[in-house]
Amino acid sequence: MKIRALALFSAAAALMSVQAPAFADAALAQAKNCMACHAVDKKMVGPSYKDVSAKYAGDADAVKKLAAAIQKGSTPGKGNWGPVPMPANPQVSEAEATKLAAWVMTVK
């Protein structure tokens, strides 16, 4: 019985450790005002994080590109996501932008 309980506890702990970073980075996205224009699973002013992740899947430079867009914004008409450009977000540090971009790429 103790072995079964230990196995269940270990499995639950492993699942929680996989989920914890996603929640932490969603909290960072909320704190940095990203959620004012984006949502995890639906288009708002900007694309959903699921759509961004799908678009950049397989792109080795995705995190770098997304982190730059988070900090510097995007230019309208460059084929990004439509007519509304993403504004620069100067309150996000380079490390935070990289963390946010890496999280976005995990959203499925």
Side-chain angles (χ1 to χ4, degrees):
M1 187 68 162
K2 287 182 183 180
I3 293 173
R4 181 179 282 186
L6 181 60
L8 287 173
F9 177 77
S10 296
L15 286 173
M16 288 172 55
S17 69
V18 169
Q19 293 297 323
F23 292 132
D25 293 326
L28 180 60
Q30 184 70 39
K32 295 298 181 175
N33 257 355
C34 304
M35 299 295 204
C37 296
H38 299 278
V40 171
D41 60 354
K42 64 182 176 185
K43 181 180 179 354
M44 292 176 50
V45 174
S48 72
Y49 292 129
K50 284 184 178 184
D51 289 343
V52 174
S53 178
K55 180 177 181 174
Y56 287 94
D59 184 342
D61 292 327
V63 170
K64 182 178 172 182
K65 290 175 185 176
L66 293 173
I70 290 167
Q71 283 198 292
K72 299 174 185 170
S74 66
T75 306
K78 296 284 186 188
N80 291 339
W81 295 94
V84 179
M86 182 169 154
N89 196 339
Q91 69 174 359
V92 177
S93 70
E94 186 175 341
E96 290 169 332
T98 299
K99 184 175 182 180
L100 286 165
W103 169 70
V104 168
M105 291 306 297
T106 67
V107 177
K108 304 291 182 222

